[in-house]
Amino acid sequence: MNRTPYQVCAMLLAVAGMTCTLVSTVSLKWKTSSSSGTIITSTSIFEGLWVHCVGTSTGSVQCKRFSSLFSLPPHTQACRALMIISLILGLFACIISLFGLKCTKFGSNDEHTKGKIALSGGLIFILAGLCCVVPVSWYAATITQQFYDSLYGGIKYELGPALYIGWAGSLLAIIGGSLLCCSFKAKNKTAKKPVYTYKAPDNEFTQFKEMRETSTSRAYV
C-alpha cells in the first residue's frame, strides 16, 4: 500500500493547524466587548495576549501594549507561554516530519527508519496541538466565568474569534499528527525465519577405503 498520499495529507493538515495557531497567537481579539450608545459614541473593546485595543464606530482603532508582564493576570501569562511552546513544537515537528515522508530524499533511505521519524513528528504535532488547546480553553473558561459572575465589577467580555481559530488549529494539528502516527507500520516480528539444514558432504576417501576392504576380504575367500 502506497502511504505517500496519506502522509502528505496528514502533513498538510498539521501545517494548517500550526498556521491557525500562529494566527490565534498574534490575534488582537481573544476577548471582545461592545459599549453601544449613539452611533457616534459606540465603541468596541478587545484584547489579545499582547495588546489592549479600543475601536470606534468610525473605524479608528487605538492599541496599547501591556506595560508590564507582572501586571497581567496569571492565566494570561500562562496562555502566552503555552502558545509560544506550541509554535516551537510545531516548527520542530514540521522539520522532523519532512525527513520522515516517503516522498522526500532527506535522511535515511530505509523505509522503516523513515516511518519511525514520521511517527516522532506526528507525536510532536499532537503535543503541539494539546499545548494550544489548553490555553485557549482556559482563557475561554475564564471569560465565561467572569461574564456570569454577578459580583465581578470589571468589564464583561465575550469570546473572541481568536479562540475559535485556536480551537480549529489545535484540532487540525492533533488530527494531522495522529494520521502521521498511523502511517507508521512496525516490522512483523512473528514472521518465520527460513531454516537451513546442513548436510555434510560425502567423504570420497572413506568410500574408497570401504570398497577396497570389501574387495580384499573377498579375495581371501
Side-chain angles (χ1 to χ4, degrees):
M1 179 180 179
N2 188 8
R3 288 174 291 171
T4 301
Y6 189 77
Q7 288 182 332
V8 172
C9 291
M11 185 70 180
L12 291 177
L13 285 174
V15 171
M18 298 316 303
T19 303
C20 292
T21 302
L22 176 61
V23 173
S24 176
T25 303
V26 300
S27 177
L28 305 178
K29 293 186 177 181
W30 277 59
K31 58 182 180 180
T32 61
S33 179
S34 61
S35 176
S36 301
T38 63
I39 298 179
I40 300 176
T41 59
S42 60
T43 59
S44 61
I45 304 172
F46 46 92
E47 286 187 9
L49 295 177
W50 317 98
V51 293
H52 174 85
C53 300
V54 177
T56 62
S57 58
T58 59
S60 62
V61 178
Q62 294 181 352
C63 295
K64 180 182 178 182
R65 289 186 175 275
F66 296 120
S67 57
S68 176
L69 176 66
F70 299 103
S71 63
L72 294 174
H75 74 277
T76 303
Q77 299 179 27
C79 289
R80 278 186 177 185
L82 289 173
M83 294 300 287
I84 293 175
I85 292 173
S86 177
L87 292 174
I88 294 174
L89 289 175
L91 178 61
F92 279 116
C94 290
I95 297 174
I96 293 174
S97 298
L98 284 177
F99 288 93
L101 297 180
K102 291 183 62 178
C103 59
T104 59
K105 301 298 181 181
F106 310 122
S108 176
N109 293 325
D110 182 56
E111 182 178 351
H112 186 68
T113 303
K114 275 187 168 292
K116 287 184 176 180
I117 297 174
L119 175 63
S120 301
L123 292 175
I124 298 177
F125 269 127
I126 294 175
L127 183 60
L130 294 176
C131 288
C132 176
V133 73
V134 169
V136 171
S137 301
W138 188 3
Y139 202 95
T142 303
I143 295 173
T144 305
Q145 181 183 6
Q146 292 176 352
F147 186 85
Y148 289 105
D149 187 4
S150 58
L151 301 178
Y152 181 72
I155 301 175
K156 293 189 176 182
Y157 292 92
E158 297 181 3
L159 304 182
L163 299 179
Y164 299 101
I165 296 174
W167 277 318
S170 61
L171 181 62
L172 289 175
I174 293 174
I175 293 176
S178 301
L179 292 178
L180 274 177
C181 293
C182 293
S183 68
F184 172 70
K185 184 178 180 181
K187 288 185 177 180
N188 189 8
K189 296 182 179 180
T190 60
K192 294 184 178 179
K193 296 183 179 180
V195 180
Y196 298 97
T197 57
Y198 175 76
K199 183 178 181 181
D202 295 334
N203 194 330
E204 296 181 358
F205 178 77
T206 304
Q207 293 179 355
F208 175 76
K209 185 178 179 181
E210 291 177 353
M211 292 175 61
R212 186 176 179 182
E213 290 178 353
T214 304
S215 60
T216 304
S217 60
R218 289 179 179 177
Y220 282 110
V221 172

